[in-house]
Amino acid sequence: KKPNEPPLVFHWFPIIGSTITYGMDPPRFFKENREKYGDCFTFILLGKKTTVYVGPKGNDFILNGKIRDVNAEEIYTVLTTPVFGKDVVYDCPNSKLMEQKKFMKIALTTDAFRQYVPIISDEVTNYLKRSADFKGKSGIVDIPPKMAQITIFTASHALQGKEIRDKFDETLADLYHDLDMGFSPINFMLHWAPLPWNNRRDYAQRTVAKIYMDTIKERRARGETGAQDIMWHLMNSTYKGDVPVPDHEVAHMMIALLMAGQHSSSSTSSWIMLRLASRPDIMEDLYNEQVKALGADLPPLTYEDLAKLPLHAAIVKETLRLHAPIHSIMRAVKTPMPVPGTKYVIPTDHVLLAAPGVSATDECYFPQPELWEPRRWEKDSPLAPTIIRNVPAEEDDEKIDYGYGLVSKGANSPYLPFGAGRHRCIGEQFANVQLQTITAIIVRNFKFRNVDGSDKVIGTDYASLFSRPLEPAKIYWERRE
Ligand code: HEM
Ligand SMILES: N#Cc1ccc(COc2ccc(/C=C/c3ccc(C(F)(F)[C@](O)(Cn4cnnn4)c4ccc(F)cc4F)nc3)cc2)cc1
């Protein structure tokens, strides 16, 4: 170990290093090594020196790193470009990504959400009516595959438009599956390997992109201006210098948004259902919150209704605190980076890894951190986030504009499931609308509990790109009369 580098995690073998212990359970790996080495330490991930820096200071160091010091696209492009397609997101200069995020964000407006809530409600209601797994009065169901179906229908219809959503009933579903096979950490690590599924992924990418480009041509021919969905906005956006967005870039951004929305929401909605099954009392409280706020006849849900359902919002917030789909955020180091307050200088042959989930489960910020308690987010809850150095976890947050609107630097926040800084998520509001609406409709139809009646919750599968529940994850459901 060199004197001015962070401590190196002990490992037996070169190349493999700590890949397996990290890959099997990243949160446990971070916690154990934080206790041994402190907030900043280096481990070997498939031969690559990977420096972890956790806690609010680590989150700030990595997520608010200067563009000349840290680089996301170098790390992510091998994973995302074969799946999304060329010239978008991580296959273009960061300045172009910032413009693309501006275009996407313009489409995700309150007006759009007003349209999305009825769309999402109807998709969930229809799915529950049609699904063979929810026939009769009660039963046992493996919930993650059902939530994957519900999210693909709701995300594709809301974000991509009706014509794309209807294609998911036939060809698009299989193509999406082949595309999805390429979205795995193996590709992340061994992108150069001629893995068999990568041919299917490449064929699927070209075919899906063509479906989008044909839809774009149809809409342009029809002079379509009705649906204010994302495709319409991207088709009518121009880069600085009034350069229109080429059709293939619109198609590739649509694939990127579909993948983002699908994986994050499918994982999170599965965890929400599993947590509700472990706490049937909270599921009852959600039902009563709706009856109290909207009336016992439970009229069709509107976007404005969501603001009257704070417990529904807290369910999503608390689930993301314990089950953030992205457990590791990576950056390449472009210039040697001195770590403030230490003698460490991170060299350019290291990769930086931020793990915001570590502070979200740190007892010094969240009392009883492993307890899933949505009410901890209410103002005067005894479990509320500890005020950090007189900076409340939520407010008083420094904001900065990277070209797609003001985003919080989140420098002091122990809770960053959507990241922070230049690469921060632009899908947070959509995700909240989608997840709260799905939860509200499910709560209206069913009561859940664990098959064994316990308050336990299943373990996490970290082997895929987005952490998600181990499968099968069965719950007992009962139709609410
Ligand atoms: C529960 C849902 C979601 C979670 C937890 C989540 C989380 C994140 C995180 C942690 C990042 C930062 C990645 C990094 O810094 O490397 C991010 C970025 C991003 N997310 Fe999300 N996301 C969610 C939903 C969505 C949705 C629904 C969309 C699109 C509609 C979306 C689009 C994006 C985009 C475009 C970026 C920017 C990437 C960059 O600038 O490098 N996300 N998200
Ligand atoms: N042995 C072994 C062994 C070793 C290691 C492991 C596990 O190791 C790791 C390490 C790192 C990671 C990182 C996750 C990661 C990063 C980027 C992205 C993304 F870019 F794709 C995304 O941010 C996703 N996103 C954003 N918002 N919603 N979705 C995105 C951005 C913009 C966009 F438009 C579309 C997008 F969808 N996705 C996921 C995951 C697993 C397992 C086994």
Side-chain angles (χ1 to χ4, degrees):
K1 160 173 139 32
K2 305 197 184 75
N4 62 348
E5 284 186 23
L8 183 61
V9 172
F10 173 77
H11 55 280
W12 290 101
F13 310 104
I15 310 285
I16 295 285
S18 312
T19 301
I20 310 291
T21 30
Y22 159 72
M24 298 292 281
D25 189 341
R28 186 166 145 227
F29 178 78
F30 298 141
K31 200 175 173 70
E32 282 175 358
N33 286 295
R34 185 189 198 188
E35 276 151 20
K36 270 187 228 159
Y37 303 104
D39 281 353
C40 186
F41 54 86
T42 300
F43 75 101
I44 303 298
L45 176 57
L46 284 179
K48 197 75 191 155
K49 283 186 179 172
T50 304
T51 295
V52 181
Y53 189 0
V54 294
K57 284 207 293 228
N59 295 336
D60 188 35
F61 181 73
I62 298 174
L63 302 179
N64 291 314
K66 300 264 169 294
I67 194 161
R68 67 174 170 282
D69 296 336
V70 294
N71 180 297
E73 59 269 24
E74 268 180 40
I75 300 281
Y76 291 152
T77 187
V78 293
L79 162 90
T80 58
T81 301
V83 174
F84 302 167
K86 67 184 175 68
D87 299 334
V88 300
V89 188
Y90 299 122
D91 189 46
C92 59
N94 184 271
S95 56
K96 186 167 177 180
L97 168 59
M98 296 300 114
E99 289 196 88
Q100 292 172 355
K101 289 175 79 171
K102 181 182 62 180
F103 304 152
M104 297 172 192
K105 225 180 140 179
I106 287 170
L108 298 170
T109 60
T110 313
D111 269 348
F113 296 150
R114 281 203 183 86
Q115 292 176 19
Y116 294 165
V117 172
I119 288 174
I120 295 167
S121 303
D122 294 347
E123 285 288 358
V124 178
T125 305
N126 296 337
Y127 179 80
L128 296 177
K129 278 203 182 82
R130 285 198 321 260
S131 167
D133 292 86
F134 290 105
K135 288 270 172 289
K137 276 213 40 65
S138 66
I140 291 178
V141 65
D142 176 13
I143 202 74
K146 306 296 136 203
M147 297 321 293
Q149 284 278 25
I150 286 176
T151 26
I152 196 77
F153 287 143
T154 53
S156 61
H157 190 164
L159 289 177
Q160 321 256 313
K162 189 94 175 66
E163 60 263 68
I164 297 295
R165 181 256 170 273
D166 290 340
K167 289 193 171 88
F168 266 103
D169 278 325
E170 69 261 0
T171 50
L172 208 45
D174 295 341
L175 285 167
Y176 173 80
H177 178 266
D178 289 345
L179 200 52
D180 210 24
M181 295 310 287
F183 214 40
S184 101
I186 305 193
N187 269 357
F188 208 3
M189 314 281 174
L190 306 176
H191 52 90
W192 37 266
L195 301 163
W197 59 76
N198 283 350
N199 302 326
R200 277 204 299 279
R201 171 202 63 192
D202 298 344
Y203 170 76
Q205 193 282 328
R206 287 192 299 276
T207 314
V208 172
K210 189 174 176 318
I211 289 174
Y212 281 125
M213 286 193 270
D214 293 347
T215 308
I216 290 165
K217 290 189 181 63
E218 280 162 32
R219 284 189 171 193
R220 198 171 281 133
R222 277 203 319 264
E224 166 78 27
T225 57
Q228 294 280 316
D229 54 26
I230 289 200
M231 186 188 291
W232 187 85
H233 277 284
L234 296 179
M235 284 165 62
N236 296 284
S237 297
T238 55
Y239 288 113
K240 59 178 176 289
D242 263 352
V243 178
V245 180
D247 284 5
H248 77 275
E249 289 185 22
V250 173
H252 297 172
M253 276 187 267
M254 294 296 284
I255 295 174
L257 293 172
L258 183 67
M259 299 307 272
Q262 174 55 21
H263 285 277
S264 52
S265 287
S266 148
S267 160
T268 308
S269 59
S270 294
W271 282 119
I272 289 173
M273 302 308 149
L274 292 166
R275 285 289 181 179
L276 291 180
S278 75
R279 291 288 305 274
D281 57 314
I282 292 193
M283 198 159 185
E284 276 314 292
D285 293 345
L286 289 168
Y287 183 77
N288 295 332
E289 177 175 71
Q290 290 193 51
V291 167
K292 191 158 166 282
L294 312 176
D297 57 337
L298 294 182
L301 212 56
T302 68
Y303 173 68
E304 283 72 16
D305 289 341
L306 296 183
K308 303 173 194 163
L309 305 175
L311 186 60
H312 285 68
I315 296 291
V316 176
K317 203 162 168 115
E318 181 69 348
T319 303
L320 282 173
R321 184 180 68 81
L322 288 176
H323 304 291
I326 295 180
H327 55 74
S328 300
I329 291 178
M330 325 264 278
R331 300 285 187 269
V333 178
K334 302 307 290 171
T335 54
M337 294 177 73
V339 180
T342 73
K343 57 186 185 317
Y344 302 147
V345 178
I346 314 294
T348 54
D349 64 340
H350 284 219
V351 166
L352 285 174
L353 190 154
V358 169
S359 44
T361 51
D362 185 333
E363 63 193 2
C364 90
Y365 298 109
F366 294 95
Q368 297 184 51
E370 296 312 321
L371 182 68
W372 183 78
E373 180 42 77
R375 289 198 172 76
R376 71 168 71 236
W377 293 101
E378 285 163 5
K379 231 178 359 292
D380 43 12
S381 155
L383 295 176
T386 317
I387 304 293
I388 307 144
R389 294 193 306 278
N390 305 318
V391 175
E394 303 296 298
E395 297 91 37
D396 182 27
D397 207 350
E398 216 179 322
K399 293 198 185 294
I400 187 163
D401 189 338
Y402 291 101
Y404 59 92
L406 281 175
V407 289
S408 54
K409 286 186 71 173
N412 295 311
S413 172
Y415 175 74
L416 298 172
F418 294 97
R422 168 182 303 278
H423 292 279
R424 195 187 189 288
C425 185
I426 49 101
E428 175 176 5
Q429 291 70 28
F430 175 79
N432 277 316
V433 165
Q434 183 188 32
L435 291 164
Q436 288 169 32
T437 302
I438 291 172
T439 302
I441 301 301
I442 297 263
V443 159
R444 290 183 175 197
N445 285 280
F446 300 118
K447 296 181 180 184
F448 287 165
R449 62 173 166 71
N450 275 336
V451 175
D452 64 2
S454 74
D455 65 352
K456 289 198 301 284
V457 74
I458 200 162
T460 305
D461 165 12
Y462 292 104
S464 73
L465 206 61
F466 299 75
S467 50
R468 60 188 186 193
L470 285 168
E471 292 188 34
K474 299 185 176 183
I475 61 169
Y476 172 85
W477 62 271
E478 191 178 317
R479 191 177 305 284
R480 203 185 278 277
E481 66 291 329

